[in-house]
Amino acid sequence: MTYTAASGLFAATWLLLLFPLVGAALLLLGGKALDRAGYQFATLMPIASFVLAVVLFFHLKSQPTSGRAVDDHLYSWIAVGGFHVSAGLLLDPLSMIFVLLITGVGSLIHIYSIGYMAHDPGRRRFFGYLNLFVAAMLLLVLADSYLGLYVGWEGVGLASYLLIAFWQYKPAAGTAAKKAFVMNRVGDVGLSLAIMLMFATLDKVDYAGVFGGVHHIGHADLTAIALLLLLGACGKSGQVPLQGWLPDAMEGPTPVSALIHAATMVTAGVYLIARSAPIFDLAPEARLVVTIVGAVTLLFGAAVGCAYDDIKKVLAYSTVSQIGYMFLAVGLGPAGYAIAIIHLVAHGFFKATMFLGAGSVMHAMDDQVDMRRFGGLRSVMPVTFATFLMGYLAIIGFPLWSGFWTKDKIIEASFDKGGTSGYILGICALLGAGVTAFYMTRLMILTFFGKRRWTEGVHPHESPVSMTAPMIVLAIGSAVGGFLLILNGGVQHWLTPVLGKSAEEGVHTVNGTVLTIITLLVVAGGMSGAYVAFGRPTVRIPWTPPQAGAVVTAARRNLYGDAFNEAVFMRPGQYLTRFLVFVDGRGVDGAVGGLAALVGGTSGRMRRAQNGFVRSYALSMSLGAVALVGALLLVRFG
């Protein structure tokens, strides 16, 4: 795709970043003077970016297809010899979709936070961090080079750390933030090495230069770059084996969970792979690894989601699973890039709806998260229930809701891959849909239906309008968003100039109608299983984890994912560090200290001969002369 220089209205693209960046700077540096009204200003900043994004979208849409990639050069960032990197922003169909999602959903989350954080003494700082998060994510998706993307990538990591640890007085929050920071550093090393390898092989890191030169890179180097990019994507998007930080990130305020899981951080990995489509198109082995990671992760997240009782952690593992669907889709190449983005957008609506709904439930239940202590909330929280229901129907793929249009396309594209691998991937995606229906129905039953199992003294009530209004808007998106995204080819045709042809133009392995019926039967089976286990009037909800054997125990321990990472990565690192400390202390420092002691000791003993008495020196000279004469005589007559 040919990039054109920004002019006219497109020259204002940089304002998309400026608005939230100014908000973050004012709130974080302005002091207590902004405690009262600062949050209102911070909320207006992403709204301003969203309004500008809508204007830019229609302006971009009015351009001919060949003119829908506008590079807004800001200034020359790095110029060393023949190496030049400009600070620029790329507005094209792919980045435009992400900008609309980030600013649109991000604005609604800011509005929701006004009510949710109304009584928190650190509200100004919280909104400053939210603005910083949005600004960093916008830079990530708008940068016109991998180096610019990396700056936004690290900015998102910093903002997530600050927000997850916002309630730092809670030990769990501090631990979760450190875990997220460290695990993301693993992925970030992969991304940084990929960028270095691009520079080493092409002497370029901008998208135009890299994509124009990928055909000149050796296959081994190209595959290495793709795999390193995948490692970075796994870190940010919480994919196996770097998924452990994502559920723990729930220790931050609920709006943070919605922002991370729906509109910003976890979508970064999907964006990275989709943006790097020209690289992955020429590295089929790496694409296969992407599909495997996606298939494993979608089943992993769904299985663990069945076992947790914490409403936010169930939704967190749901995100792990849904992002797995997106990875599976982008791993399919041109046939799956666009449908992965479609599901990502739909997921942004329904997952934000459910996370904000969970926050509303917590707000009413004195911050409790154990679903076994909920029940019967639909009658006292009708708006929260209705909006959450919209998100639930969307995620399980109920007919006509957004997930029905988007997730089914991923399942279909998986089967369309053909061969044994296609059927394996398709069955994994199909099985994931059934398990998703099970754990989400379980969540709905335990939270909103059945007997009231409230803790004594808790009196739940509906949340204020500032919280329910954004939930209603997102719920509408959850209901109709998927259909609108695929209407007349929708997003798939919009993304064709960037990502290539969509799955619709391929040859279908399984009849679409038959596959849809099979998928609905699988989903119905998952819903029925959850009702039998938790919904019947005779079922007693346990207050302690059921002793259901090794499978449930493993699921409650996230299938030993943390134990695996600890055994394979953390412990060897600890032992290596201890060994190096020992070598440094006893070896290097010991050798230096020993040599110093030898010289010092020898000098101290030799210094005793220098006592200042002439008679001692005369005696030494006499003894030396006698020894010298004796040596000469020995040589002469010996």
Side-chain angles (χ1 to χ4, degrees):
M1 195 170 185
T2 304
Y3 299 162
T4 59
S7 61
L9 184 60
F10 290 125
T13 301
W14 61 278
L15 290 174
L16 292 169
L17 290 172
L18 183 65
F19 289 133
L21 200 57
V22 168
L26 285 179
L27 266 69
L28 297 178
L29 302 177
K32 295 183 178 180
L34 295 173
D35 279 353
R36 284 194 173 185
Y39 71 92
Q40 298 172 344
F41 179 77
T43 302
L44 290 175
M45 292 300 96
I47 294 176
S49 292
F50 176 68
V51 172
L52 177 59
V54 172
V55 174
L56 288 172
F57 167 74
F58 284 106
H59 191 51
L60 189 67
K61 191 173 183 295
S62 67
Q63 304 299 312
T65 303
S66 59
R68 290 180 181 172
V70 183
D71 194 346
D72 185 11
H73 173 77
L74 301 180
Y75 59 89
S76 295
W77 183 18
I78 299 174
V80 181
F83 178 62
H84 297 272
V85 177
S86 68
L89 304 177
L90 174 62
L91 194 66
D92 68 355
L94 180 60
S95 60
M96 190 75 255
I97 285 180
F98 276 85
V99 168
L100 289 170
L101 176 67
I102 295 164
T103 57
V105 176
S107 296
L108 292 172
I109 292 173
H110 275 72
I111 296 170
Y112 176 92
S113 300
I114 294 175
Y116 192 88
M117 302 294 290
H119 304 293
D120 195 291
R123 181 170 61 174
R124 171 180 57 82
R125 179 167 53 91
F126 177 80
F127 275 87
Y129 291 160
L130 284 186
N131 272 199
L132 179 63
F133 207 151
V134 171
M137 189 65 191
L138 286 173
L139 175 59
L140 190 157
V141 300
L142 282 171
D144 65 353
S145 70
Y146 281 100
L147 205 54
L149 177 146
Y150 190 77
V151 175
W153 194 272
E154 293 303 315
V156 168
L158 170 63
S160 67
Y161 172 81
L162 295 172
L163 285 167
I164 295 169
F166 181 76
W167 289 325
Q168 66 269 20
Y169 56 84
K170 296 167 55 179
T175 301
K178 287 186 289 186
K179 184 175 182 180
F181 193 83
V182 171
M183 294 193 76
N184 271 275
R185 297 291 73 73
V186 176
D188 293 356
V189 168
L191 177 57
S192 62
L193 290 176
I195 297 173
M196 293 176 193
L197 191 52
M198 292 174 194
F199 172 67
T201 54
L202 293 172
D203 199 29
K204 296 180 182 298
V205 293
D206 61 289
Y207 295 148
V210 171
F211 300 156
V214 288
H215 293 87
H216 305 295
I217 303 178
H219 185 71
D221 288 338
L222 197 63
T223 302
I225 291 173
L227 291 175
L228 289 170
L229 290 174
L230 172 60
L231 179 60
C234 286
K236 272 291 182 287
S237 293
Q239 299 294 282
V240 170
L242 300 177
Q243 80 290 342
W245 70 270
L246 197 53
D248 289 2
M250 299 301 97
E251 293 297 334
T254 298
V256 176
S257 304
L259 194 60
I260 289 177
H261 286 248
T264 56
M265 190 167 178
V266 297
T267 64
V270 181
Y271 171 81
L272 177 63
I273 296 177
R275 174 60 72 189
S276 306
I279 296 175
F280 283 90
D281 286 344
L282 298 176
E285 297 87 355
R287 283 216 322 266
L288 177 61
V289 176
V290 175
T291 58
I292 293 172
V293 168
V296 170
T297 305
L298 75 88
L299 292 176
F300 178 96
V304 178
C306 294
Y308 273 81
D309 300 312
D310 183 324
I311 186 172
K312 289 178 66 178
K313 286 198 173 183
V314 173
L315 293 177
Y317 279 108
S318 167
T319 299
V320 171
S321 180
Q322 295 302 309
I323 299 294
Y325 271 104
M326 300 171 206
F327 267 63
L328 171 58
V330 292
L332 297 174
Y337 291 135
I339 57 177
I341 302 303
I342 292 173
H343 189 59
L344 184 150
V345 175
H347 176 264
F349 282 108
F350 63 67
K351 186 52 61 69
T353 301
M354 289 188 290
F355 263 114
L356 297 186
S360 180
V361 169
M362 292 169 58
H363 183 76
M365 299 296 290
D366 290 349
D367 288 331
Q368 293 186 66
V369 294
D370 192 339
M371 297 183 298
R372 295 171 298 177
R373 297 184 180 273
F374 295 164
L377 290 178
R378 72 182 187 281
S379 58
V380 294
M381 304 182 70
V383 177
T384 298
F385 166 69
T387 55
F388 203 104
L389 179 64
M390 296 298 102
Y392 159 75
L393 294 174
I395 193 174
I396 67 171
F398 194 82
L400 304 184
W401 266 255
S402 59
F404 173 78
W405 304 106
T406 62
K407 189 161 60 177
D408 280 20
K409 279 187 170 293
I410 297 177
I411 298 173
E412 183 178 337
S414 300
F415 279 106
D416 288 346
K417 179 178 173 62
T420 304
S421 62
Y423 280 101
I424 293 175
L425 294 174
I427 291 171
C428 288
L430 196 59
L431 180 60
V435 180
T436 299
F438 176 85
Y439 70 74
M440 286 306 305
T441 303
R442 170 178 178 264
L443 183 151
M444 287 295 294
I445 292 172
L446 293 183
T447 303
F448 295 104
F449 294 91
K451 298 179 180 178
R452 298 178 176 181
R453 304 179 300 278
W454 307 340
T455 303
E456 185 177 353
V458 174
H459 304 288
H461 54 278
E462 189 57 88
S463 298
V465 175
S466 62
M467 294 172 63
T468 56
M471 291 159 55
I472 292 171
V473 175
L474 290 167
I476 294 172
S478 300
V480 303
F483 175 74
L484 295 177
L485 288 170
I486 68 167
L487 182 65
N488 295 325
V491 175
Q492 290 173 289
H493 290 168
W494 170 256
L495 291 172
T496 297
V498 182
L499 303 178
K501 294 181 178 180
S502 66
E504 286 184 338
E505 285 120 1
V507 178
H508 299 305
T509 302
V510 180
N511 181 274
T513 303
V514 173
L515 188 57
T516 298
I517 294 173
I518 294 174
T519 303
L520 291 177
L521 290 174
V522 171
V523 169
M527 297 171 65
S528 301
Y531 174 78
V532 170
F534 303 99
R536 293 175 300 163
T538 56
V539 173
R540 178 179 178 272
I541 305 301
W543 290 105
T544 56
Q547 303 300 317
V551 175
V552 173
T553 300
R556 286 183 176 275
R557 296 179 180 177
N558 60 73
L559 297 181
Y560 303 105
D562 287 341
F564 173 82
N565 288 331
E566 180 178 337
V568 175
F569 300 108
M570 191 190 80
R571 294 301 178 191
Q574 283 185 330
Y575 296 145
L576 177 61
T577 302
R578 292 171 184 173
F579 172 74
L580 293 176
V581 170
F582 174 81
V583 170
D584 182 64
R586 298 297 180 86
V588 178
D589 290 349
V592 174
L595 180 60
L598 176 62
V599 173
T602 303
S603 300
R605 287 173 174 76
M606 294 180 65
R607 191 164 53 243
R608 295 175 183 175
Q610 307 295 323
N611 54 20
F613 294 113
V614 175
R615 60 178 180 273
S616 298
Y617 298 155
L619 177 61
S620 298
M621 292 172 64
S622 299
L623 291 176
V626 170
L628 180 61
V629 171
L632 292 174
L633 292 174
L634 183 62
V635 171
R636 176 68 179 82
F637 301 104

